[in-house]
Amino acid sequence: MHWHGEPHAVILLKLDFDAGITILTGASDIGQGSSTIVAQIVAEVLGVDYGRLRVIANDSAITPKDNGSYSSRVTFMVGNAAAQAAENLKALLVTAAARRLGIDDTELEWLGEAACPRSEPDRHVAFADIVEEALKGTGTITAKGVFTCPPEFQGGKQRGGAVGSTMGFSYAAQVVEVSVDEELGTVTVEKVWAALDCGFAINPMSVEGQVQGAVWMGMGQALSEETSYEANGLHQVANLLDYRVPTMAESPEIEVHIVESLDPNGPFGAKEASEGPLAGFLPALAAAIEDAVGRRPTTLPVTPERMYDLLHRKTRRPRAEPVRGDA
Amino acid sequence: MKSILSLTLNGRLREDVVPHNTLLLDYLRDGLQLTGTKRGCDGGECGACTVLVDGQPRLACSTLAHGVAGRHVETIEGMRRSGRLDRLQRAFHENLGTQCGFCTPGMVMAAEALLRSNPTPDRETIRSALAGNLCRCTGYVKILDAVEAAAREEASA
Amino acid sequence: MSSMPNFVLLRPETAADAVRLRAAHPDSRFVAGGTDLLPNMRRGLVRTPAVIELAAVRELDFIRRSGDELHIGAACTLAALAADPQVAAALPALSEAARAVAGPTHRASATLGGNLCLDTRCRYYNQSAFWREANQFCMKLDGDGCRVAPRSTRCHAAFSGDVAPALIALDARVDILGTGGVRTLPLAELYRDDGMAWLALGSEELLTAVRVPLTAGWQSAYAKARVRGAIDFPLSGVAVALRRDGEHLAILRIACTGVASRPCAIGGLDILVGRPLDAAAHDIIALAIKRDILAMDTTVAGMAYRRRATAVLAKRLVDRLWQEAG
């Protein structure tokens, strides 16, 4: 991916006489919000109302190729491409607005839904008129934005180095509170607190949703989801009753704290969200169990059977004392 | 073997010739192209096929179409109010109770059944009422937020 | 699409008509809520030329007091049973067991009769046709040999309904309607310890009602061992009914599900009558349970856990009910 010479993300914008902007992206929104993110970024750069934007995603006849949803790359790479596309479109519109106002580009103040000369703040030209000016002679306008990871972020010659992985890395911390039924081995997750430095949170609600979903997915892996096979190769848990995806009944409240920073390379400083919270649940749970009963599981999922075996094997380390602030 | 199946669907009377062994889920999806109700599992394991029958929640994948003859069936397509999202749909949208959307029709219908019988449920009651509906995206937190928000909106209306 | 067998659907409006239709169609199946039969049909586990739909037989849907008994119709939904205040007050084990079944949407249509007659379950049986064929089927359907006990001459599929042990512990009887009339028998006698022939129900018979004695002074409860908090069948389910007289046990009944091919009443507890609930009594109870259950490798969760859970849940319920009665 990294070395075939194409940019790592491409966004196309189309502006037509209705003064509406179509964003064309190959990025797949399966509910994680990639279409929302590109729309937010374009709207932010251009300063226009959201109502002017429409997103067309995943139509390989029309949309530019996207490398795919993996390695938490989409917000970072596709977002950067979207920002560049919007800047490129804005440059064309600035020129058209300046021409309509009879001034030089450098004298123009861009207001989003309008523009004016910096020296005459009351003399506006509305967005629709700017568009009309821009379309003269050329008709429908398209703009493109691309993003390519700088070489120092592209990975080396090691196996897997060319996969095109993200260059945005978040930091996450997580606290899990559990209770353990020592006679049955049942582990109950009472509550989870997760903090994430995702860079700038372009859509905080979406970040929260991603973190909660990721934490919970980690919980499923850690407590009840397990793939196993018969000796003859048949899958033992080939249905949603035996492959135990947690229900709402045993799923805890998950409190999310977004701790922002600004990544110098990400779109508006954004990095990525949710890989840390997913991976973080498993060791946090193991640590919580150790805090509760003095034994740390090393095999997942921690089914009641495994927990019971862990509790009742012969050698037993002393239970960890709870930490007290006044000790 | 086929017979005429007569029932009320989303407020309108329907009469269709339907084989006896047709599941309600297949009658809706294949017979009527109402694909909002989802097939998510081998039967009774996920809740994605939840519809309402006479106001009660029902697993369409484990119900014969002829089993609800003469009854009032409601699907997610019927939730729309005068071309707009109803309060539950809007609450799911505004509170990010829906990500991929696959579980959402079942969740909304199960929540609708709850709110009809209990307009002011606490969070634990909502949790119990939706415990038979699986979601793989959200971790459930914002689904609970959404149902609470819809109930609050209705209570203050 | 689903692989439902081709059948004719019959819709009687009375229980008597239902039984007559069953007699006229020997290979037919009854369906009420459908939450057990229809998923099994979709997997190719049930082939039948005729299905008798019981939704229109309104006479089977009731909960009413009759003297010192509570009578419950077989078509009463589990949701209605779980929500009924009489049941919650007088027969908590029944209320708790009904509420423990599957998920809320299942319970809105699943019936008492259906849960009592639930098909037995095994991880080698409750699979798709493709899976079972790849595994050369099994004794319960289309094959020979038991996959959990290869030398066994009988099927070990586990009974997995939650309500039966509660009703057995509460000393319930059931009405069975046949072409010749109604017979009434203790619920425990409805079951046989055979994964393939677990119901002692004649081919033309229909379970119509349950009669539960309303006995003053009984405490009762039901506890279910399962991994998740909803949807799952019991890995083990224990019902306890107990009456305490001062410092002595007057009555102790324990019944289990999920740990045999039928819901089993634990025997040998009569010797505890008149004794205090002390450590020795608990040892007797634990031994009696160990002797009467037989958890086989029918679930993905292991046998040791299910045996252990049965003993732990029984002890907890007995202790709790003893305290509450004191």
Side-chain angles (χ1 to χ4, degrees), chain B residues 1 20-21 23 25-26 30 39 41-46 50 56-59 61-64 66-69 71 110 128-134, chain C residues 1-2 4-11 31-35 38-39 41-43 51 53 55 79 103-109 128 228-231:
Chain B
M1 181 77 197
H20 288 192
N21 65 356
L23 297 169
L25 180 64
D26 294 330
D30 302 328
R39 172 194 298 270
C41 70
D42 286 341
E45 300 166 356
C46 75
T50 306
Q56 293 295 307
R58 191 78 182 244
L59 298 172
C61 78
S62 306
T63 302
L64 291 173
H66 280 281
V68 293
R71 314 278 288 279
S128 299
L130 301 188
N133 290 74
L134 300 182
Chain C
M1 307 308 124
S2 63
M4 295 287 281
N6 219 349
F7 55 77
V8 62
L9 187 67
L10 306 164
R11 293 194 102 212
V31 73
T35 55
L38 294 177
M41 269 189 165
R42 286 175 56 181
R43 280 206 167 116
V51 172
E53 157 76 66
T105 304
H106 299 81
R107 297 193 292 270
S109 63
S128 67
R228 302 186 295 175
I231 306 179

Side-chain angles (χ1 to χ4, degrees), chain A residues 30 208 216 225 246 251 253, chain B residues 100 123 127 136 140 142:
Chain A
I30 57 162
E208 277 178 22
W216 173 87
E225 295 176 33
S251 296
E253 296 294 342
Chain B
C100 83
R123 201 166 170 97
R127 198 185 279 281
R136 207 52 178 141
Y140 301 118
K142 292 190 186 301

Side-chain angles (χ1 to χ4, degrees), chain C residues 42-317:
Chain C
R42 286 175 56 181
R43 280 206 167 116
L45 297 174
V46 176
R47 289 151 217 147
T48 178
V51 172
I52 304 169
E53 157 76 66
L54 298 173
V57 184
R58 308 309 308 147
E59 72 189 78
L60 294 183
D61 187 3
F62 59 87
I63 303 178
R64 56 176 169 253
R65 175 136 190 185
S66 177
D68 55 4
E69 281 188 330
L70 197 66
H71 291 181
I72 308 166
C76 182
T77 66
L78 296 176
L81 198 51
D84 188 275
Q86 297 178 86
V87 175
L91 308 166
L94 177 57
S95 191
E96 289 162 14
R99 198 172 315 118
V101 175
T105 304
H106 299 81
R107 297 193 292 270
S109 63
T111 63
L112 172 61
N115 197 257
L116 291 178
C117 297
L118 215 63
D119 193 4
T120 54
R121 299 185 65 82
C122 175
R123 62 195 182 88
Y124 292 102
Y125 170 71
N126 295 94
Q127 300 283 4
S128 67
F130 166 82
W131 197 102
R132 285 180 289 111
E133 183 177 352
N135 204 43
Q136 278 107 53
F137 303 107
C138 75
M139 188 191 297
K140 186 163 158 80
L141 186 67
D142 292 341
D144 41 32
C146 171
R147 301 280 170 256
V148 303
R151 277 191 286 275
S152 177
T153 52
R154 54 152 289 188
C155 167
H156 285 283
F159 182 81
S160 307
D162 293 290
V163 180
L167 286 173
I168 288 174
L170 291 168
D171 217 10
R173 296 179 301 150
V174 286
D175 289 345
I176 310 285
L177 176 67
T179 45
V182 180
R183 62 186 178 102
T184 301
L185 71 163
L187 177 59
E189 290 178 19
L190 181 64
Y191 300 104
R192 295 198 212 101
D193 193 17
D194 183 334
M196 289 175 72
W198 71 102
L199 287 177
L201 207 58
S203 59
E204 298 159 11
E205 292 188 312
L206 171 68
L207 192 157
T208 53
V210 176
R211 300 163 183 262
V212 195
L214 291 167
T215 318
W218 277 38
Q219 315 287 319
S220 72
Y222 175 74
K224 177 170 182 170
R226 58 179 165 183
V227 174
R228 302 186 295 175
I231 306 179
D232 293 354
F233 287 91
L235 293 172
S236 163
V238 180
V240 175
L242 171 161
R243 201 180 83 207
R244 177 174 178 171
D245 265 338
E247 289 312 307
H248 303 123
L249 273 167
I251 289 163
L252 177 63
R253 296 171 61 87
I254 301 176
C256 306
T257 184
V259 288
S261 293
R262 63 174 166 185
C264 41
I266 303 299
L269 300 177
D270 291 340
I271 68 168
L272 294 172
V273 171
R275 290 173 58 155
L277 185 69
D278 53 15
H282 270 305
D283 284 345
I284 289 169
I285 294 169
L287 211 57
I289 289 173
K290 194 171 169 176
R291 189 191 58 230
D292 277 356
I293 68 174
L294 182 64
M296 302 291 286
D297 195 14
T298 55
T299 58
V300 174
M303 296 172 279
Y305 169 73
R306 286 158 58 211
R307 282 194 292 268
R308 187 183 317 129
T310 310
V312 168
L313 293 178
K315 180 169 194 301
R316 287 181 182 174
L317 287 184

Side-chain angles (χ1 to χ4, degrees), chain A residues 24 42 56 63 90 109 138 149 167 171 186 201 223 252-253 257 273-274 280 292 318:
Chain A
L24 299 163
V42 171
I56 296 183
T63 57
K90 185 175 165 187
E109 179 91 39
T138 149
C149 294
M167 52 183 282
Y171 296 93
T186 323
L223 286 183
E253 296 294 342
H257 299 268
S274 95

